[in-house]
């Protein structure tokens, strides 16, 4: 179930490019690297993965498999505060104190943060548009990316599925009504589509897993996730 979302794509691309620049940037020709900036940038990436573990798993950090972000109102408020604090810390580095590559990193990191803050704090998409959720819940990472044996990926999916009932409760609590008719229709199609997808498509992907205990965990979690999505 591949669902496009320009905001999510920008966030994914932004953080991944930032990581790439941290790993691959050339040595500065003049001003040497500032170790304080190097630490801040690395800490930001680590904190982002901790706050957005599903995104981390999608980015290849599979120690976060099965974990989902906190999309409650309190969790979203905490994320906005984290981003604003990180932005202030990044902006405090004067250009003269950074190598040329680090100046690019700083500007890029701030741009990534500003993009995330726009959708979370200014546009308030988590409170105004069900698409914000629909387009970030695709479990494709566990279904079609063969990064690990099927049973291991199923464990990740079980964690994902177990989180869905709370996520759907948070979605219901967060969205402000009345919503535009087009938003309601999109939500019905999206959330209902996930329910159908969980029931009809996901079991076939994991049919080859033989462990009976794991299969029962999967069936229970998947059924509960489908029911929660259907109820939305």
């Amino acid at each position: 179930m591949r669902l496009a979302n320009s905001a999510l794509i920008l966030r994914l691309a932004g953080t991944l490019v930032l990581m790439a620049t941290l790993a691959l940037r050339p040595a500065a020709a003049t001003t040497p690297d500032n170790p304080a900036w190097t630490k801040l940038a690395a800490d930001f990436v680590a904190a982002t993965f901790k706050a957005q573990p599903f995104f981390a798993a999608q980015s290849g950090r599979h120690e976060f498999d099965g974990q989902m972000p906190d999309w409650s109102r309190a969790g979203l408020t905490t994320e906005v505060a984290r981003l604003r604090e990180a932005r202030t810390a990044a902006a405090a580095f004067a250009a003269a104190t950074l190598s040329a590559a680090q100046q690019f990193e700083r500007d890029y990191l701030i741009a990534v943060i500003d993009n995330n803050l726009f959708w979370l704090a200014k546009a308030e998409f988590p409170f105004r548009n069900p698409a914000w959720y629909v387009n970030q819940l695709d479990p494709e990472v566990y279904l079609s990316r063969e990064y690990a044996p099927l049973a291991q990926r199923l464990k990740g999916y079980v964690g994902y599925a177990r989180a869905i009932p709370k996520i759907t409760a948070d979605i219901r609590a967060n969205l402000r009504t009345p919503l535009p008719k087009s938003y309601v229709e999109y939500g019905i199609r999206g959330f209902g589509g996930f329910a159908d997808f969980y029931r009809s498509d996901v079991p076939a992907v994991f049919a080859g897993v033989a462990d009976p205990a794991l299969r029962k965990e999967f069936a229970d979690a998947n059924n509960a996730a489908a029911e929660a999505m259907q109820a939305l």
Side-chain angles (χ1 to χ4, degrees), residues 49-60:
F49 284 159
K50 183 177 179 180
Q52 304 294 336
F54 188 44
F55 165 61
Q58 291 170 317
S59 303

Side-chain angles (χ1 to χ4, degrees), residues 3-220:
L3 300 170
N5 181 318
S6 58
L8 175 61
I9 291 170
L10 286 172
R11 182 164 64 87
L12 288 168
T15 303
L16 291 173
V17 169
L18 175 62
M19 292 169 61
T21 61
L22 289 172
L24 303 176
R25 56 185 170 78
T30 52
T31 305
D33 283 352
N34 184 332
W37 169 260
T38 301
K39 181 178 186 304
L40 182 146
D43 287 348
F44 174 78
V45 172
T48 296
F49 284 159
K50 183 177 179 180
Q52 304 294 336
F54 188 44
F55 165 61
Q58 291 170 317
S59 303
R61 293 289 298 271
H62 293 295
E63 66 268 31
F64 292 96
D65 279 5
Q67 301 178 46
M68 295 297 286
D70 180 1
W71 282 344
S72 67
R73 180 176 292 271
L76 294 170
T77 298
T78 297
E79 177 66 352
V80 168
R82 180 186 76 86
L83 292 170
R84 286 175 171 159
E85 182 179 354
R87 191 190 193 288
T88 298
F93 280 83
T97 68
L98 303 173
S99 68
Q102 288 181 325
Q103 291 176 37
F104 171 80
E105 291 171 7
R106 180 201 58 187
D107 293 346
Y108 202 98
L109 187 149
I110 289 172
V112 168
I113 292 174
D114 285 346
N115 177 69
N116 291 337
L117 284 174
F118 173 81
W119 293 109
L120 288 171
K122 188 171 183 179
E124 295 188 311
F125 253 37
F127 307 105
R128 297 178 181 274
N129 195 330
W132 192 85
Y133 302 98
V134 170
N135 297 338
Q136 295 192 72
L137 282 170
D138 187 349
E140 175 270 342
V141 61
Y142 304 121
L143 306 180
S144 61
R145 297 191 198 176
E146 298 180 356
Y147 64 87
L150 191 62
Q152 181 177 333
R153 287 157 45 205
L154 177 54
K155 291 177 182 178
Y157 178 84
V158 168
Y160 162 91
R162 284 174 173 164
I164 293 299
K166 180 184 183 302
I167 285 174
T168 58
D170 290 337
I171 292 171
R172 188 178 291 106
N174 288 345
L175 287 173
R176 298 171 187 154
T177 56
L179 293 171
K181 181 182 178 181
S182 60
Y183 287 16
V184 173
E185 292 173 344
Y186 186 90
I188 291 171
R189 290 195 304 270
F191 298 131
F194 274 121
D196 292 341
F197 182 67
Y198 297 159
R199 292 185 179 116
S200 302
D201 296 86
V202 175
V205 174
F206 296 114
V209 175
D211 184 338
L214 182 55
R215 289 186 64 84
K216 185 179 186 307
E217 290 181 26
F218 163 67
D220 292 345

